[in-house]
Amino acid sequence: MRILQIYSIIGFLFISAFAKAQDTLSYESYKKENKERVAIQRDTVTIIDSITTTSFINEIDKVELKTVIKDSVVFNLEDEPFAARLDSLWRNELARMDLFDSITNMVQGQDYKKEVLYKDLPTDTLKKRLALINARTPFNVEYNTSLESVIKRYLKRHKPTMERLMEVSQFYFPMFEETLDKYDIPLEMKYLAIVESALRPRAKSRVGATGLWQFMFSTGKMYGLDVNSYVDERMDPIMATEAACQYLAKLYELFGDWDLALASYNSGPGNVSKAIRRSGGYKNYWNIRANLPRETAGYVPAFIATMYLFEYAEEHGYQPKKAPVNYFATDTIHVKELITLEQVAKLTGEPLEVVQFLNPSYKLDIIPVIKDEKYYVRLPIEKIGKFVQNEDSIYAFAKAEIDKKEKPLPKFTTASTQVRYRVRSGDYLGKIANKYGVRVSQIKKWNNLRSNNLKIGQRLTVYPRKPVTSSSSSSSSKTVVTNGKKVYTVKDGDSLWKIASKFPGVSVKNIKVWNDISGDNVKPGMKLVVSK
């Protein structure tokens, strides 16, 4: 006989139990003795990397349990198959906002009357390919010089953008196609989300249209998409796709033509009706196009050009990377108690960027619990079972952590007219633009940037359009004000660059001048002036 002590915690599986048994301990006996849960104590957590089972005799339903103990006070395990597949580059690619600006410029900045020379696509070849597409779709895909101009311009100038969109589309298109099929909508309508949002769930236009399918506030409400202080369901990929399909089906019911349904999705049914009247009663999109708003006049050609490029990507040498995972590798759980996305990430061992990306509709990264409302968390499918099995412990831990670590609410200050932002590791234009509520194209214009490339330490001028959130940070606890100047106490691991990065508008050179420092070395305990 021997005592087998097991602390069975995998990611967020926080159960402490003791089981007594012989070497041939039965599994059913083990389960029975481990039903009772105990409170979670962070400082006494021990993690089991794995529990292996070995059958001794086929005729006897008995196994030996063997544990492999890992480190303590660590929540996420090394075995993260989803995170391993969904590497950091892929996460950044899915979350980047610069594609939204690129596709917006592509759609709205076209000169359809100007001929584009592109020798790799002869007109005869294009006509044949468009005819083949036309034969298998209800959209009116017929050759005309304006469409040829758009397609050739995309091929000539926007290949990198389209290649990246092809990569990201592998994540969303399976889900789009399933919902489109449910409403008997042509599957090619999936390309509409590219034209609308460049497949960015949190994309927001200058007029407030939001999400993958760019719903305005009022239209979203009409189709059941709730918007409140915590949640914007227009940014929920599944709910927004469902609403978009309902709206498109209604538009087709009104016009009886998918081209016109597409045009009215962009400009509204009223503008399409006016164009029909002004054109003398014509109902073919190409015949009423001259009477549509300029943006809509380029909308359908952009949609068909996108369809063509996706259908003939290989023929034009497009080589998008294969997506490591699609939308069906995830599932949802109804959340019963308030929990933050940060806590979900911590307890599941999933990177926070992944949890945020899979749950874009939570504006404050908080999943609320509101009467008569149901909110869900989406996770990689292999995390679902563990979450469900340990919900009580998870919610108890989340509440205890919130109670224990409660901080003052963020204080909102009025956005200044100008901010000088210092680029940090992991920054990209879309991330900075989102922080200040501006567009990538605006940051590029303000700073005369010709590309999206940034360098660590680079300074950018930004004119914020939304309040800047400030709250107590780790740096504040090490900073005091003396004679009207902020003084920072150096701690272990600090460097001049690291200290400067904690204080917006402060450079390494500033700190050296203010403190009469010639070298780059600092020691723990040193007092440094970090403001004028």
Side-chain angles (χ1 to χ4, degrees):
M1 296 289 290
R2 63 180 181 179
I3 302 296
L4 180 62
Q5 184 181 27
I6 300 177
Y7 295 92
S8 176
I9 301 180
I10 302 177
F12 54 73
L13 184 54
F14 305 100
I15 304 172
S16 297
F18 289 10
K20 296 182 179 181
Q22 298 178 350
D23 286 347
T24 55
L25 175 67
S26 81
Y27 180 60
E28 290 300 319
S29 173
Y30 169 74
K31 287 202 301 183
K32 183 177 180 181
E33 292 189 27
N34 281 269
K35 288 194 298 184
E36 188 174 350
R37 293 178 179 175
V38 298
I40 298 169
Q41 298 294 329
R42 181 191 294 265
D43 58 350
T44 60
V45 169
T46 302
I47 293 176
I48 303 296
D49 180 55
S50 62
I51 300 179
T52 59
T53 64
T54 306
S55 297
F56 286 103
I57 306 173
N58 293 333
E59 291 77 16
I60 302 177
D61 185 19
K62 293 183 179 180
V63 296
E64 177 186 34
L65 297 176
K66 181 181 179 182
T67 64
V68 181
I69 296 179
K70 286 183 67 65
D71 201 357
S72 297
V73 202
V74 178
F75 290 107
N76 57 320
L77 303 179
E78 294 177 0
D79 184 17
E80 294 292 348
F82 179 87
R85 295 194 305 271
L86 197 63
D87 60 25
S88 59
L89 290 176
W90 173 242
R91 294 196 302 271
N92 287 341
E93 186 61 40
L94 288 171
R96 288 175 67 171
M97 287 298 297
D98 56 329
L99 275 181
F100 178 58
D101 293 279
S102 298
I103 204 72
T104 301
N105 293 333
M106 286 166 61
V107 174
Q108 299 179 7
Q110 301 286 4
D111 183 357
Y112 301 100
K113 297 179 181 179
K114 186 176 180 180
E115 183 180 358
V116 178
L117 298 177
Y118 189 76
K119 297 180 180 179
D120 292 341
L121 181 59
T123 300
D124 288 343
T125 301
L126 177 60
K127 288 181 177 179
K128 291 177 182 178
R129 290 175 177 175
L130 291 176
L132 290 172
I133 295 175
N134 189 54
R136 59 177 184 263
T137 178
F139 290 98
N140 186 19
V141 184
E142 294 182 359
Y143 170 84
N144 60 65
T145 55
S146 295
L147 181 57
E148 180 178 22
S149 173
V150 177
I151 291 174
K152 288 186 174 180
R153 184 174 286 106
Y154 279 20
L155 286 168
K156 189 174 183 178
R157 300 181 183 176
H158 303 296
K159 183 176 180 179
T161 297
M162 296 307 297
E163 209 162 36
R164 287 168 57 199
L165 285 167
M166 289 174 186
E167 179 182 346
V168 177
S169 71
Q170 298 171 67
F171 185 81
Y172 288 110
F173 276 8
M175 184 265 291
F176 289 171
E177 289 171 344
E178 181 182 35
T179 312
L180 290 167
D181 180 64
K182 172 183 172 182
Y183 287 91
D184 293 325
I185 297 173
L187 299 188
E188 293 84 4
M189 194 65 82
K190 63 191 176 185
Y191 300 119
L192 175 59
I194 290 179
V195 179
E196 284 286 349
S197 67
L199 300 177
R200 293 314 188 242
R202 290 191 171 184
K204 180 171 285 192
S205 75
R206 57 183 176 79
V207 295
T210 300
L212 284 170
W213 299 94
Q214 289 291 281
F215 275 100
M216 294 296 290
F217 182 89
S218 57
T219 311
K221 284 283 188 180
M222 285 172 56
Y223 287 90
L225 298 178
D226 186 31
V227 180
N228 58 46
S229 297
Y230 281 108
V231 181
D232 188 340
E233 291 178 347
R234 295 176 296 173
M235 294 189 286
D236 183 288
I238 291 182
M239 297 184 71
T241 300
E242 190 83 17
C245 288
Q246 293 173 10
Y247 187 30
L248 286 164
K250 186 65 177 178
L251 293 173
Y252 180 73
E253 184 181 322
L254 288 173
F255 292 100
D257 181 275
W258 284 114
D259 289 354
L260 296 184
L262 198 61
S264 59
Y265 188 94
N266 176 253
S267 66
N271 281 324
V272 175
S273 297
K274 291 175 188 174
I276 292 174
R277 291 189 182 95
R278 289 168 180 164
S279 65
Y282 286 114
K283 297 180 181 179
N284 182 293
Y285 167 81
W286 297 100
N287 292 333
I288 70 170
R289 180 168 169 251
N291 296 299
L292 288 168
R294 185 178 184 278
E295 181 181 334
T296 308
Y299 189 73
V300 173
F303 171 81
I304 296 176
T306 302
M307 185 193 306
Y308 170 82
L309 292 179
F310 270 72
E311 295 291 329
Y312 288 96
E314 188 175 343
E315 286 80 354
H316 288 291
Y318 285 73
Q319 295 181 329
K321 297 176 182 176
K322 184 171 177 59
V325 66
N326 66 33
Y327 213 86
F328 292 109
T330 67
D331 203 350
T332 57
I333 304 167
H334 174 215
V335 173
K336 299 172 184 175
E337 295 186 29
L338 186 143
I339 192 169
T340 68
L341 297 187
E342 184 180 5
Q343 289 170 334
V344 172
K346 182 187 299 182
L347 294 171
T348 61
E350 205 60 43
L352 178 59
E353 310 98 291
V354 174
V355 177
Q356 289 173 326
F357 170 72
L358 292 175
N359 299 275
S361 61
Y362 299 112
K363 299 192 289 185
L364 303 179
D365 284 353
I366 296 172
I367 306 176
V369 175
I370 301 173
K371 186 179 179 181
D372 298 327
E373 296 286 351
K374 288 186 177 182
Y375 294 116
Y376 300 83
V377 62
R378 179 170 291 278
L379 291 171
I381 200 163
E382 60 267 31
K383 305 290 185 180
I384 296 294
K386 296 175 182 178
F387 194 106
V388 171
Q389 184 178 346
N390 299 276
E391 272 187 302
D392 293 342
S393 296
I394 289 171
Y395 293 139
F397 180 83
K399 185 178 185 305
E401 189 177 63
I402 291 172
D403 293 343
K404 183 179 179 181
K405 294 187 174 182
E406 184 177 356
K407 297 179 180 179
L409 292 174
K411 297 178 181 179
F412 287 90
T413 58
T414 304
S416 59
T417 55
Q418 176 181 316
V419 170
R420 288 288 287 170
Y421 182 82
R422 182 187 180 92
V423 177
R424 298 172 174 81
S425 177
D427 277 345
Y428 52 89
L429 284 177
K431 182 178 180 181
I432 299 169
N434 187 58
K435 175 181 176 70
Y436 292 105
V438 299
R439 303 280 289 277
V440 168
S441 57
Q442 290 176 312
I443 296 179
K444 292 174 74 172
K445 181 179 179 180
W446 294 331
N447 295 276
N448 296 317
L449 301 178
R450 295 186 178 182
S451 72
N452 294 328
N453 298 328
L454 297 175
K455 296 180 180 179
I456 295 176
Q458 181 178 352
R459 293 193 175 276
L460 299 174
T461 298
V462 183
Y463 297 90
R465 290 184 59 188
K466 67 181 182 181
V468 180
T469 306
S470 64
S471 59
S472 58
S473 64
S474 59
S475 61
S476 64
S477 62
K478 297 289 182 179
T479 308
V480 296
V481 178
T482 304
N483 297 326
K485 296 181 179 181
K486 290 183 180 179
V487 178
Y488 176 81
T489 303
V490 179
K491 57 184 181 180
D492 285 337
D494 273 345
S495 65
L496 287 179
W497 180 87
K498 191 172 181 180
I499 295 169
S501 67
K502 296 179 179 180
F503 301 93
V506 176
S507 67
V508 171
K509 185 176 180 180
N510 291 147
I511 295 177
K512 286 186 175 182
V513 171
W514 295 335
N515 295 276
D516 194 22
I517 297 174
S518 57
D520 294 322
N521 296 327
V522 291
K523 296 179 180 180
M526 284 181 64
K527 307 287 186 181
L528 297 177
V529 176
V530 290
S531 70
K532 289 183 180 180

